[in-house]
């Protein structure tokens, strides 16, 4: 059966490639605007399910994976900065603080009615970064397409004191332990080809 990743994220594609299952990446057509009063965790869950659902409607014979990540500081969502200036602001606000990254993943198999949605929260403790640390990191990595302006899989690890998670790839954008469990439940086991 075909496997589709409902995402344009290169990070999610690279993570899913680790499972060595053939898949296609398809861009979901979903409005990602947060709703009034929506918590960051609820936003991540809603968007993961909406992305998977929108693509599943176009590919009803496939197993579809949707995922989304929303960072949270003081109950507010922290999105992708997009610019250097916004990334500086984000990292300054997070220095010396704990930030929760809510990574949600949904797996749908329309042909059987299978639908599952799980959340993989990750608590990230940032060092008390100097402005020089922030500037060096941003000029080197340019992580303007990453929630919270940091990539732990590269130099961003130097910004941190600790990462707490039970699914180590969740912070990168796709919790593979949860994804594998849901794929097995949907009838697609990465270890049985």
């Amino acid at each position: 059966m075909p496997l589709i990743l409902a995402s344009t994220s290169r990070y999610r594609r690279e993570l899913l490639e680790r499972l060595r299952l053939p898949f296609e990446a398809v861009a979901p057509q979903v409005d990602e605007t947060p709703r009034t009063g929506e918590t960051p965790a609820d936003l991540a869950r809603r968007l993961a399910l909406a992305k998977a659902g929108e693509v599943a409607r176009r590919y009803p014979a496939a197993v579809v994976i949707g995922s989304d990540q929303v960072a949270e500081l003081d109950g507010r969502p922290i999105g992708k900065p997009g610019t250097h200036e916004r990334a500086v602001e984000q990292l300054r606000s997070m220095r010396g603080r704990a930030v929760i990254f809510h990574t949600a993943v949904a797996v749908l198999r329309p042909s059987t009615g299978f639908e599952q949605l799980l959340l993989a929260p990750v608590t990230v403790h940032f060092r008390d970064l100097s402005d020089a640390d922030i500037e060096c990191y941003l000029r080197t990595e340019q992580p303007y397409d990453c929630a919270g302006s940091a990539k732990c899989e590269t130099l961003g690890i130097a910004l941190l004191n600790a990462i707490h998670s039970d699914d180590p790839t969740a912070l990168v954008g796709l919790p593979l332990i949860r994804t594998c469990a849901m794929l097995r439940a949907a009838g697609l086991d990465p270890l049985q080809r």
Side-chain angles (χ1 to χ4, degrees):
M1 74 191 82
L3 177 63
I4 296 178
L5 176 64
S7 178
T8 57
S9 166
R10 63 186 164 132
Y11 309 109
R12 289 190 181 100
R13 277 195 314 270
E14 290 169 3
L15 287 170
L16 191 55
E17 286 171 355
R18 294 182 186 184
L19 301 184
R20 300 180 184 211
L21 292 169
F23 71 94
E24 180 182 350
V26 174
Q29 305 300 315
V30 172
D31 178 4
E32 298 190 28
T33 306
R35 295 178 178 161
T36 304
E38 189 171 39
T39 69
D42 288 342
L43 175 61
R45 280 191 286 261
R46 178 176 61 82
L47 292 178
L49 190 57
K51 290 174 182 180
E54 194 279 327
V55 171
R57 283 188 286 284
R58 290 188 270 154
Y59 298 88
V63 172
V64 181
I65 301 169
S67 187
D68 198 79
Q69 182 180 73
V70 180
E72 175 184 353
L73 180 64
D74 298 329
R76 294 184 329 272
I78 300 171
K80 298 173 185 174
T83 67
H84 182 83
E85 294 73 27
R86 284 187 39 104
V88 168
E89 289 174 26
Q90 284 185 352
L91 289 174
R92 282 180 178 165
S93 71
M94 296 185 295
R95 59 181 158 198
R97 310 273 313 274
V99 178
I100 301 171
F101 287 78
H102 301 281
T103 306
V105 61
V107 173
L108 279 65
R109 185 175 178 192
S111 65
T112 65
F114 180 85
E115 179 180 303
Q116 197 168 35
L117 172 67
L118 295 172
L119 187 68
V122 180
T123 303
V124 177
H125 297 270
F126 281 81
R127 292 180 34 246
D128 190 10
L129 304 165
S130 69
D131 285 348
D133 292 337
I134 291 169
E135 195 62 33
C136 175
Y137 172 69
L138 292 176
R139 294 287 178 201
T140 303
E141 290 291 315
Q142 301 180 8
Y144 308 129
D145 63 344
C146 297
S149 304
K151 295 192 298 186
C152 70
E153 64 272 27
T154 57
L155 184 59
I157 201 74
L159 304 174
L160 310 178
N161 279 329
I163 299 171
H164 298 283
S165 174
D166 64 357
D167 204 331
T169 59
L171 187 56
V172 183
L174 184 64
L176 287 179
I177 292 173
R178 285 168 175 79
T179 301
C180 284
M182 288 190 287
L183 288 174
R184 285 191 300 271
L188 185 61
D189 189 333
L191 294 176
Q192 296 182 9
R193 298 164 194 246

